Amino acid sequence: MSKKYLELEPEKILSVKDLEVKFYTYAGVVHAVSGVSFDVYENEVVALVGETGCGKTVTTRAITRLIYPPGHIARGQAIFRRRNGTVIDLLSISEKELRDIRGNEIAYIFQDPTSALNPLFTAGEHIVETIVAHSSTNRKLARNEAIRLLKQVLIPHPSLRVKTYPHELSGGMRQRVVIATAIANKPRLLIADEPTTNLDVTVQAQILDLLSELKKQYSMSIILITHNLGIVAEIADRVYVMYAGKIVESANVFELFEKPMHPYTRGLLHALPDPVRRIEKLEYIPGTVPSLINPPPGCRFHPRCKFAKRVCREEPPMVEVEPGHYVACWLYAKR
Amino acid sequence: MMAEVIYRGFCIIIDTIAKLMDKIRPGWSDRNSSRISEWKLMAYAYSRSAIGIVGGVLVSIFVIIGIIGPYIAFERYNEFPASVNPDLYFLRPCIPPWCDPWSENLPLLGTDNWGRDILSLVLHGARISLVISLIVVALGVPLGIILGLLAGYFGGAVDEVMMRITDVFIAFPALILAIAFATVLPSRFREVLYTNVFTREFFLSLFALSKEEIPQLASLLAVIFALVLVWWPGYARIIRGSVLSVKEQAFVEAARSLGLSTWRVLFRHILPNVLSPVIVMVTFDLGTATLLAAALSFLGIGPQDPVPELGFLVSKGREYFPDKWWIVMFPGIALFIIALGWNLLGDSLRDVLDPKTRRSLEFKVKGKKQRKFKSVKRK
Amino acid sequence: MSLIRVENVKKYFKVRGSLFKKVKAVDGVTFMIKEAETFGVVGETGCGKSTLGRVILRLLKPTAGKVYFMNKDVLKLSGENLKKFRRMAQMVFQDPHSSLNPRMTILEIILEPLKEHGIVVDDPEKYITEHLEIVGLGREHLYRYPHELSGGQKQRVAILRALILRPKFIVLDEPTSALDVSVQAQILNLLKDLQKKFKASYMFISHDLAVVKFMSNRIAVMYLGKFVEIANADELFEKPLHPYAQVLLAAIPIPNPKIARERKKIRIVGEPPSPINPPPGCRFHPRCPYVMDICKREEPPMVEVEPGHYVACWLYARR
């Protein structure tokens, strides 16, 4: 129970182990996340890729226990190194200690910037609130800091924009305010949940540039959740591919795009229309994502997999096929 | 346990209906399997709602009494036993644990100033209240729905005019309208009722009144008429609101792009999608209409002696209150139960009929484990 | 042979609470669509691409301009002729979750257009089942309700509803943007197959350049209510001429980390201005890296730089 059992390699900042989240709904128990483990190293962008409902958002929300009934974290550990060097399990510390970490050492950026901002607060007030909540600075200093932050996220005329309300800002500007709020306390870990999904391509490119710039400046780690493999290719260092509540493959980004191994990853990559080449027909994955109330036994992808064998009805182990390239598939595992 | 029994009961009813339909039209249950499972889902959701069950029980008791009440009442409301035997007026109630009505030879709920049995009067009054509320809602709601549908769909000037009329009717106090009608309308209604045999017999049997009460029936109808007039605007408003949001949905545009006529779009695509809040509101309103009608009779607008309208009974009993408390008490309790029943039922129907809440109804996880995160196991 | 001809179409919306302000959603667009081709329209949120699609189908009345369908003026159609047009020109909407009436079964949804246009089918169940199979669904879906289907399945139903009348022209308004990648691929392939089978022309509206490229023969790039460039799909991607088209292409995330990180990054600042008060002259000039004096004053004409490749930019126009 005590903290002395917790260990974390020095270069890691977060290590999630065997996380399991369930939702108790009328229709039955939804196994949203089943046994997910992943690591985040210092100063890296980790991408969590998967389709709608694969559990990527739930996973990252569970890290700081932002799961509300009917949701329930059934099992797992999220070992995190705090700024002061202590190693803790985010899933077992007190709610008070956790509040101290949320928005301070671990910050979130959510998909929809419109609903992430309170319409009654100005852009500046959002940032000031976050700073004041986690430090003893006075509001005036915090306000100056807010202007500096808005400048940093490339908002023109920051000293004027601190006073504007969210509805006066465009979608891209709002997302910049959200980002400024998230980095206000110089977090060690930034969790960006589909940060550009609601934005236009030109604005999306701007925001992605901004995120990688901020990562360097603040030397923080970023967990990027997305369904868009193009975005992953643009800024991620390492990638975890999720399918139906489980991680099926993880690798360095170059390795993954060059040598995808899991049939699902391959299908996903081939299903994308490539803007550079001329293609007559897209390859696609037949069928649809399974219900997580009664997930298929064993490998959850096997009902849609063209390589499925009898053995796939058993749980495939996660094997390291090449250094740093892990895959959970019977094609690569020895029985 | 109770919930399970109720759920099973509903399932048996639904299955029986499905089997019957299958006999009439072969393959029906196959084609409607989705609908049947949705019904069962609703039945399940309803059976898990305690207030819904209490409301349902109260309402069914009321409805059953409303239907058979006048026939099981052992005294007619227009018999006055005290005129034969003066000892019979103001008999006190005799309720079993405290008093034995058989050996004491006393009525269960006491008698009034004419020696009429209060229980019989309440049983009869339930019928009158039920019929009033049903007529008010049955006439007011379709009117409101149609007007709201037109205003919401066509928008612009149509909307503007209709909504301003609605505002006027909402602002108009029901009471004043009812007083005005009560003075003007009854004589007209009386004429109709005297001349038109069919209408007369229809309404007399509906309220289970005898022929001598035609003047009272006329003022009862005046009250109903006033209530209908103030009833539709609420529906026009909520329907208009729902229509405004539904008509923006892509399926309405899709229907128009297929070249569907306006009427088809309105009644096939929009109407079914705005009805579920109405069903809930109707449930609440059946209670409210009963209370409002009673309030109007309490104020002396509406039927007079000897019609046992519940509100009127309360108003009459007031003269003898608090000495003869039972004359006010039992009709009052009846009204309370009716209103409570409809409201509880409406509350639970709101959840049951909303597909979103229905699908996300939670299994209640036992204990507080979930909130305190104590169940997080460590290796 | 042109199937659809659009001439200088404009659609302005009134701004609530203002007498004079107008949102110029579509502001003078001219183009034509050939038979059995896919014409892609690509642009960012609010550029007016969806409005354009609706104007062509006469779901919205244009403020000015003309739309011809098989050489007939669509805006002057009425009665039987309008009904015929509705039958020939269909639309598939962006969000399959809201484009199907939740109170109707799949059978009813697909049968409705047939009924409305007086087409009698002997055995509706059999007829619809056959068609459901064409779009990859089956008999078991006949009596389902939309909420029982997945997003991709719903979109298949919506596509079938549009196709059941054998239209000659279909507007596809972001048909896959609400779907996942693996499902998107299924739907895009399906749309291509159906086009071969039923010989319909598509107008494919999307913000996703890669998807538009995959689907279209010709592509128009739209910015603030105007087309800035029209070209063959391949040509547009190889040689984008308009600075906005170049920026847009440079901003698409490419699913290949090597190419993505090595390619030249052309970025522009800011976001599209409001269509209520579009900038004078060329609408892109406040964000354009090559802006010249004339761009601020005069609107560039649409010129044919190479056969079939049109661009509206002062860099290519002669004064």
Side-chain angles (χ1 to χ4, degrees):
Chain A
M1 287 295 156
S2 71
K3 286 174 186 171
K4 66 186 168 191
Y5 289 108
L6 297 173
E7 274 176 31
L8 190 63
E9 287 89 333
E11 63 276 16
K12 284 184 192 169
I13 176 167
L14 174 78
S15 178
V16 173
K17 286 178 186 161
D18 202 21
L19 180 70
E20 183 158 349
V21 184
K22 294 174 182 171
F23 284 81
Y24 295 82
T25 65
Y26 165 68
V29 184
V30 179
H31 301 269
V33 176
S34 314
V36 160
S37 305
F38 66 95
D39 299 315
V40 181
Y41 292 87
E42 303 265 3
N43 298 326
E44 72 165 350
V45 179
V46 170
L48 219 51
V49 192
E51 295 177 287
T52 317
C54 73
K56 52 194 195 299
T57 299
V58 174
T59 302
T60 52
R61 292 183 76 106
I63 294 172
T64 61
R65 301 198 321 225
L66 288 170
I67 301 286
Y68 302 105
H72 168 45
I73 301 174
R75 178 153 63 84
Q77 271 183 313
I79 301 164
F80 177 69
R81 177 175 291 108
R82 295 198 60 170
R83 214 175 265 145
N84 59 18
T86 51
V87 174
I88 49 163
D89 177 8
L90 293 168
L91 300 186
S92 62
I93 55 172
S94 71
E95 186 66 27
K96 189 172 165 290
E97 197 177 350
L98 195 62
R99 264 203 303 276
D100 193 36
I101 292 174
R102 269 186 222 140
N104 182 12
E105 298 189 32
I106 299 179
Y108 284 87
I109 300 172
F110 294 114
Q111 178 174 352
D112 183 7
T114 314
S115 57
L117 296 174
N118 185 332
L120 300 177
F121 280 17
T122 63
E125 280 163 0
H126 279 100
I127 304 174
V128 170
E129 282 305 315
T130 326
I131 297 175
V132 172
H134 292 289
S135 69
S136 49
T137 35
N138 64 35
R139 297 190 83 90
K140 191 150 188 235
L141 285 175
R143 205 178 162 75
N144 291 337
E145 177 69 8
I147 296 175
R148 194 188 68 75
L149 283 164
L150 289 181
K151 194 170 179 181
Q152 187 139 44
V153 295
L154 306 177
I155 289 184
H157 318 299
S159 49
L160 291 175
R161 290 300 170 102
V162 267
K163 290 175 205 145
T164 49
Y165 286 91
H167 69 91
E168 301 171 279
L169 297 165
S170 65
M173 285 297 156
R174 276 183 213 147
Q175 194 60 295
R176 283 169 199 272
V177 173
V178 173
I179 293 175
T181 314
I183 60 167
N185 289 311
K186 306 189 177 54
R188 292 168 52 70
L189 179 62
L190 182 68
I191 297 175
D193 188 351
E194 306 261 7
T196 57
T197 303
N198 287 337
L199 304 175
D200 284 320
V201 250
T202 53
V203 184
Q204 165 172 291
Q206 296 165 10
I207 297 283
L208 292 179
D209 288 352
L210 176 67
L211 280 178
S212 29
E213 186 55 35
L214 289 172
K215 187 202 94 181
K216 269 184 235 147
Q217 276 183 27
Y218 286 82
S219 65
M220 59 184 174
S221 306
I222 297 178
I223 301 180
L224 177 78
I225 303 168
T226 182
H227 66 276
N228 188 333
L229 285 163
I231 293 177
V232 174
E234 294 276 342
I235 73 166
D237 297 313
R238 260 173 353 102
V239 188
Y240 288 90
V241 182
M242 267 188 99
Y243 181 78
K246 288 187 177 178
I247 285 175
V248 295
E249 185 165 3
S250 74
N252 171 299
V253 65
F254 295 101
E255 172 92 14
L256 186 93
F257 278 85
E258 207 161 289
K259 275 187 270 173
M261 294 198 170
H262 198 282
Y264 175 66
T265 318
R266 280 195 248 164
L268 213 52
L269 278 170
H270 289 142
L272 273 181
D274 187 337
V276 187
R277 284 181 298 135
R278 173 102 216 146
I279 351 161
E280 259 321 300
K281 209 162 176 88
L282 294 169
E283 283 179 45
Y284 65 92
I285 307 170
T288 46
V289 181
S291 145
L292 293 181
I293 292 174
N294 277 317
C299 171
R300 289 185 177 176
F301 186 63
H302 82 259
R304 298 172 76 186
C305 181
K306 52 184 168 186
F307 306 107
K309 298 177 284 191
R310 179 168 298 164
V311 65
C312 295
R313 298 181 65 82
E314 286 168 42
E315 185 74 43
M318 185 65 96
V319 288
E320 186 166 13
V321 185
E322 272 170 50
H325 192 157
Y326 295 84
V327 59
C329 175
W330 283 113
L331 290 177
Y332 306 95
K334 269 182 215 124
R335 291 227 53 195
Chain B
M1 183 55 209
M2 179 74 181
E4 196 57 35
V5 171
I6 289 172
Y7 173 58
R8 296 265 168 245
F10 273 118
C11 283
I12 292 169
I13 295 172
I14 293 169
D15 287 337
T16 322
I17 293 173
K19 265 184 210 142
L20 266 174
M21 290 304 289
D22 249 354
K23 286 253 168 64
I24 301 166
R25 271 185 275 167
W28 186 91
S29 61
D30 239 16
R31 286 196 296 274
N32 290 278
S33 59
S34 298
R35 195 174 293 167
I36 291 171
S37 61
E38 197 73 1
W39 285 348
K40 287 191 177 167
L41 195 66
M42 278 190 223
Y44 183 89
Y46 176 73
S47 71
R48 306 282 133 158
S49 139
I51 57 159
I53 293 172
V54 174
V57 169
L58 292 182
V59 165
S60 354
I61 292 175
F62 167 54
V63 171
I64 291 170
I65 288 180
I67 295 167
I68 63 169
Y71 311 115
I72 59 167
F74 41 85
E75 269 179 32
R76 287 288 293 168
Y77 66 95
N78 52 359
E79 287 166 11
F80 308 107
S83 61
V84 184
N85 179 0
D87 294 344
L88 287 177
Y89 61 55
F90 295 138
L91 290 177
R92 32 182 56 261
C94 187
I95 301 165
W98 301 284
C99 164
D100 183 1
W102 295 115
S103 58
E104 305 259 343
N105 202 15
L106 280 172
L108 205 56
L109 301 184
T111 58
D112 73 350
N113 55 330
W114 287 330
R116 293 187 297 174
D117 178 56
I118 299 282
L119 179 59
S120 299
L121 293 182
V122 170
L123 289 177
H124 205 119
R127 156 70 76 94
I128 297 175
S129 288
L130 177 69
V131 173
I132 293 178
S133 58
L134 287 180
I135 295 183
V136 168
V137 169
L139 295 182
V141 173
L143 190 64
I145 289 179
I146 290 171
L147 294 178
L149 211 54
L150 297 179
Y153 186 73
F154 291 105
V158 179
D159 183 26
E160 203 62 31
V161 170
M162 281 187 175
M163 282 298 116
R164 293 302 80 80
I165 296 174
T166 310
D167 288 343
V168 169
F169 272 93
I170 284 183
F172 214 92
L175 185 60
I176 294 179
L177 200 68
I179 292 173
F181 283 172
T183 48
V184 180
L185 287 181
S187 54
R188 297 277 169 82
F189 282 151
R190 227 172 294 157
E191 263 171 50
V192 176
L193 289 173
Y194 277 125
T195 50
N196 191 326
V197 183
F198 178 74
T199 322
R200 179 173 69 212
E201 289 306 316
F202 175 71
F203 279 111
L204 284 177
S205 60
L206 209 55
F207 288 103
L209 295 174
S210 24
K211 247 182 213 149
E212 298 80 55
E213 264 70 71
I214 285 178
Q216 308 308 333
L217 180 61
S219 43
L220 196 58
L221 291 180
V223 168
I224 291 177
F225 198 74
L227 285 178
V228 169
L229 274 190
V230 294
W231 221 259
W232 64 267
Y235 287 89
R237 264 199 188 166
I238 57 162
I239 288 289
R240 172 180 172 269
S242 315
V243 169
L244 285 184
S245 71
V246 168
K247 86 169 175 182
E248 293 304 316
Q249 295 220 21
F251 68 82
V252 175
E253 202 178 9
R256 287 199 291 134
S257 77
L258 289 171
L260 262 60
S261 67
T262 307
W263 296 114
R264 221 179 140 75
V265 172
L266 261 178
F267 289 101
R268 188 92 176 91
H269 290 272
I270 294 183
L271 186 61
N273 285 293
V274 296
L275 276 186
S276 57
V278 169
I279 294 172
V280 175
M281 200 164 152
V282 161
T283 321
F284 285 123
D285 273 358
L286 283 167
T288 320
T290 312
L291 281 188
L292 198 55
L296 289 176
S297 341
F298 179 84
L299 292 170
I301 308 157
Q304 304 293 321
D305 271 329
V307 176
E309 213 283 330
L310 292 173
F312 180 66
L313 287 179
V314 173
S315 140
K316 232 178 55 150
R318 212 167 41 133
E319 285 173 43
Y320 315 106
F321 194 79
D323 281 356
K324 316 286 187 285
W325 51 269
W326 55 90
I327 307 181
V328 173
M329 183 80 137
F330 294 112
I333 289 178
L335 280 173
F336 169 73
I337 287 177
I338 294 167
L340 182 71
W342 285 120
N343 274 289
L344 292 180
L345 188 65
D347 240 353
S348 86
L349 282 189
R350 174 161 37 212
D351 293 345
V352 171
L353 291 179
D354 180 356
K356 275 183 207 132
T357 38
R358 188 160 65 228
R359 269 175 217 120
S360 65
L361 268 185
E362 300 160 22
F363 273 151
K364 293 211 171 84
V365 187
K366 277 171 195 152
K368 291 180 183 169
K369 279 179 188 171
Q370 189 187 347
R371 249 163 283 146
K372 299 240 168 168
F373 288 94
K374 274 185 184 154
S375 63
V376 177
K377 280 181 199 157
R378 284 174 207 91
K379 274 183 183 171
Chain C
M1 226 326 247
S2 74
L3 182 73
I4 292 271
R5 213 165 73 236
V6 175
E7 283 177 10
N8 202 24
V9 157
K10 295 181 181 176
K11 175 69 193 174
Y12 297 168
F13 292 102
K14 275 187 208 146
V15 176
R16 216 171 243 268
S18 167
L19 271 178
F20 306 107
K21 276 192 194 163
K22 279 183 175 150
V23 176
K24 299 182 176 175
V26 177
D27 199 8
V29 165
T30 304
F31 67 98
M32 59 102 174
I33 299 176
K34 289 179 242 170
E35 260 174 47
E37 83 162 341
T38 303
F39 184 78
V41 177
V42 67
E44 295 180 281
T45 319
C47 73
K49 52 193 194 301
S50 292
T51 308
L52 179 62
R54 284 170 171 75
V55 167
I56 294 174
L57 290 185
R58 215 181 130 170
L59 291 173
L60 290 173
K61 208 173 160 281
T63 314
K66 291 244 185 297
V67 177
Y68 295 96
F69 177 75
M70 298 169 86
N71 287 325
K72 272 185 211 137
D73 189 340
V74 171
L75 302 168
K76 288 200 180 123
L77 296 176
S78 64
E80 263 320 290
N81 285 331
L82 178 62
K83 205 155 189 184
K84 220 180 262 167
F85 170 71
R86 291 260 178 258
R87 190 175 155 180
M88 304 278 249
Q90 288 291 332
M91 182 152 181
V92 175
F93 296 85
Q94 173 173 10
D95 183 5
H97 305 287
S98 71
S99 71
L100 304 178
N101 186 341
R103 309 270 164 173
M104 288 165 81
T105 60
I106 305 308
L107 177 71
E108 288 169 326
I109 288 172
I110 297 173
L111 218 48
E112 186 170 44
L114 293 174
K115 271 191 197 157
E116 191 63 28
H117 289 276
I119 298 163
V120 185
V121 185
D122 287 343
D123 184 353
E125 260 184 51
K126 192 167 157 244
Y127 186 79
I128 303 295
T129 307
E130 282 166 10
H131 280 80
L132 279 173
E133 277 158 10
I134 296 175
V135 296
L137 298 170
R139 218 196 119 71
E140 68 273 18
H141 298 103
L142 275 181
Y143 295 104
R144 298 275 182 84
Y145 286 86
H147 71 84
E148 296 172 274
L149 269 51
S150 70
Q153 290 173 325
K154 281 184 216 172
Q155 200 59 300
R156 287 166 194 268
V157 172
I159 290 169
L160 180 55
R161 172 178 59 188
L163 272 169
I164 196 87
L165 291 169
R166 305 286 153 91
K168 297 200 77 112
F169 176 61
I170 304 177
V171 172
L172 301 156
D173 185 6
E174 306 243 15
T176 59
S177 69
L179 304 175
D180 276 318
V181 184
S182 67
V183 182
Q184 165 175 292
Q186 299 172 8
I187 299 291
L188 292 178
N189 281 338
L190 174 70
L191 284 170
K192 274 201 157 179
D193 291 346
L194 292 174
Q195 185 171 32
K196 273 184 208 130
K197 198 166 190 146
F198 294 106
K199 310 254 180 308
S201 294
Y202 287 163
M203 174 166 159
F204 192 92
I205 299 168
S206 179
H207 68 276
D208 187 329
L209 282 144
V211 169
V212 172
K213 159 105 193 282
F214 171 69
M215 288 299 292
S216 315
N217 304 101
R218 289 188 305 136
I219 297 177
V221 180
M222 200 167 178
Y223 186 75
L224 271 187
K226 279 184 176 297
F227 281 176
V228 295
E229 188 163 352
I230 306 175
N232 276 331
D234 294 323
E235 196 166 320
L236 182 75
F237 271 71
E238 271 158 35
K239 236 185 357 183
L241 294 178
H242 197 282
Y244 177 64
Q246 292 171 358
V247 168
L248 210 54
L249 286 177
I252 340 174
I254 293 178
N256 183 330
K258 274 189 188 146
I259 300 175
R261 281 158 213 224
E262 279 161 17
R263 73 176 159 162
K264 201 175 126 215
K265 291 198 175 168
I266 314 171
R267 293 284 192 265
I268 42 166
V269 287
E271 287 165 57
S274 145
I276 295 177
N277 247 330
C282 170
R283 298 184 168 196
F284 186 59
H285 85 254
R287 304 171 76 193
C288 182
Y290 310 109
V291 62
M292 299 177 291
D293 259 356
I294 186 168
C295 306
K296 296 176 189 166
R297 283 180 277 115
E298 277 174 61
E299 216 165 288
M302 186 65 106
V303 289
E304 190 166 12
V305 180
E306 271 167 59
H309 194 154
Y310 299 83
V311 61
C313 175
W314 283 116
L315 290 173
Y316 308 97
R318 232 175 274 146
R319 291 217 48 205

Coordinates of all heavy atoms in Angstrom, one line a residue, chain C residues 286-308:
Chain C
P286 N -5.8 39.4 -47.4 CA -5.2 39.7 -46.1 C -4.3 38.6 -45.5 O -3.5 38.8 -44.7 CB -6.5 39.9 -45.2 CG -7.6 40.2 -46.1 CD -7.3 39.4 -47.3
R287 N -4.5 37.4 -46.1 CA -3.7 36.2 -45.6 C -2.7 35.8 -46.6 O -2.0 34.8 -46.4 CB -4.6 35.1 -45.2 CG -5.7 35.4 -44.2 CD -6.7 34.3 -44.1 NE -6.2 33.1 -43.3 CZ -6.8 31.9 -43.3 NH1 -7.9 31.7 -44.0 NH2 -6.3 31.0 -42.6
C288 N -2.7 36.4 -47.8 CA -1.9 35.9 -48.9 C -0.5 36.3 -48.7 O -0.1 37.4 -48.5 CB -2.5 36.4 -50.2 SG -1.6 35.8 -51.6
P289 N 0.4 35.3 -48.9 CA 1.9 35.6 -48.9 C 2.4 36.4 -50.1 O 3.4 37.1 -50.0 CB 2.6 34.3 -48.8 CG 1.6 33.3 -49.2 CD 0.2 33.8 -49.0
Y290 N 1.6 36.4 -51.2 CA 2.1 37.1 -52.4 C 1.3 38.3 -52.7 O 1.2 38.7 -53.8 CB 2.0 36.1 -53.6 CG 2.6 34.8 -53.4 CD1 1.8 33.6 -53.3 CD2 4.0 34.6 -53.3 CE1 2.3 32.4 -53.0 CE2 4.5 33.4 -53.1 CZ 3.7 32.3 -52.9 OH 4.3 31.0 -52.7
V291 N 0.7 38.9 -51.7 CA -0.3 40.0 -51.9 C 0.4 41.1 -52.6 O 1.5 41.5 -52.4 CB -0.9 40.4 -50.6 CG1 0.1 40.9 -49.6 CG2 -2.0 41.4 -50.8
M292 N -0.4 41.7 -53.6 CA 0.1 42.9 -54.4 C -0.9 44.0 -54.2 O -2.0 43.7 -53.6 CB 0.2 42.5 -55.9 CG 1.1 41.4 -56.2 SD 1.2 41.0 -57.9 CE -0.4 40.2 -58.2
D293 N -0.6 45.1 -54.6 CA -1.5 46.3 -54.5 C -2.9 46.1 -55.1 O -3.9 46.3 -54.5 CB -0.9 47.5 -55.1 CG -0.2 48.4 -54.0 OD1 -0.4 48.0 -52.8 OD2 0.4 49.4 -54.3
I294 N -2.8 45.5 -56.3 CA -4.1 45.4 -57.0 C -5.0 44.4 -56.3 O -6.3 44.6 -56.4 CB -3.8 44.9 -58.5 CG1 -5.1 44.9 -59.3 CG2 -3.1 43.6 -58.5 CD1 -4.9 44.8 -60.8
C295 N -4.5 43.4 -55.6 CA -5.3 42.5 -55.0 C -6.3 43.1 -53.9 O -7.4 42.6 -53.7 CB -4.5 41.4 -54.2 SG -3.3 40.6 -55.2
K296 N -5.8 44.2 -53.4 CA -6.6 44.9 -52.4 C -7.8 45.7 -53.0 O -8.7 46.0 -52.3 CB -5.7 45.8 -51.5 CG -4.7 45.0 -50.7 CD -3.8 46.0 -50.0 CE -2.6 45.2 -49.4 NZ -1.5 46.1 -49.0
R297 N -7.6 46.0 -54.2 CA -8.6 46.9 -54.9 C -9.5 46.2 -55.8 O -10.7 46.4 -55.7 CB -7.8 48.0 -55.7 CG -7.2 49.1 -54.8 CD -6.5 50.1 -55.7 NE -5.2 49.7 -56.1 CZ -4.8 49.5 -57.3 NH1 -5.7 49.6 -58.3 NH2 -3.6 49.1 -57.5
E298 N -9.0 45.3 -56.6 CA -9.9 44.8 -57.6 C -10.0 43.3 -57.5 O -9.1 42.6 -57.1 CB -9.3 45.1 -59.0 CG -9.7 46.5 -59.5 CD -9.1 46.8 -60.8 OE1 -9.3 46.0 -61.8 OE2 -8.3 47.7 -60.8
E299 N -11.2 42.8 -57.8 CA -11.4 41.4 -57.7 C -10.8 40.7 -58.9 O -11.0 41.1 -60.1 CB -12.9 41.1 -57.7 CG -13.3 40.0 -56.8 CD -14.8 40.0 -56.5 OE1 -15.3 40.9 -55.8 OE2 -15.5 39.1 -57.1
P300 N -10.0 39.6 -58.7 CA -9.4 39.0 -59.9 C -10.4 38.2 -60.7 O -11.3 37.6 -60.1 CB -8.4 38.0 -59.2 CG -8.9 37.8 -57.9 CD -9.7 39.0 -57.4
P301 N -10.3 38.2 -62.0 CA -11.2 37.4 -62.9 C -10.8 36.0 -62.9 O -9.6 35.7 -62.6 CB -11.0 38.1 -64.2 CG -9.6 38.6 -64.2 CD -9.3 39.0 -62.8
M302 N -11.7 35.1 -63.2 CA -11.4 33.7 -63.4 C -10.8 33.5 -64.8 O -11.4 33.8 -65.7 CB -12.7 32.9 -63.2 CG -12.6 31.4 -63.2 SD -11.7 30.8 -61.7 CE -12.9 30.1 -60.7
V303 N -9.5 33.1 -64.8 CA -8.9 32.9 -66.1 C -8.5 31.4 -66.3 O -8.2 30.7 -65.4 CB -7.7 33.8 -66.3 CG1 -8.0 35.2 -66.5 CG2 -6.7 33.6 -65.2
E304 N -8.6 31.0 -67.6 CA -8.2 29.6 -67.9 C -6.7 29.6 -68.2 O -6.3 30.1 -69.3 CB -9.0 29.1 -69.1 CG -8.8 27.7 -69.4 CD -9.8 27.1 -70.4 OE1 -10.5 27.9 -71.0 OE2 -9.9 25.9 -70.5
V305 N -5.9 29.1 -67.3 CA -4.5 29.2 -67.5 C -4.0 28.1 -68.4 O -3.1 28.3 -69.3 CB -3.8 29.1 -66.1 CG1 -2.3 29.2 -66.2 CG2 -4.3 30.2 -65.2
E306 N -4.5 26.9 -68.2 CA -4.3 25.8 -69.1 C -5.6 25.2 -69.4 O -6.6 25.5 -68.7 CB -3.4 24.8 -68.3 CG -1.9 25.0 -68.5 CD -1.1 24.2 -67.6 OE1 -1.2 23.0 -67.7 OE2 -0.4 24.8 -66.8
P307 N -5.7 24.4 -70.4 CA -7.1 23.9 -70.8 C -7.7 23.2 -69.5 O -7.1 22.3 -69.0 CB -6.8 22.9 -71.9 CG -5.5 23.2 -72.4 CD -4.7 24.0 -71.4
G308 N -8.9 23.7 -69.2 CA -9.6 23.1 -68.0 C -9.1 23.5 -66.7 O -9.6 23.0 -65.7

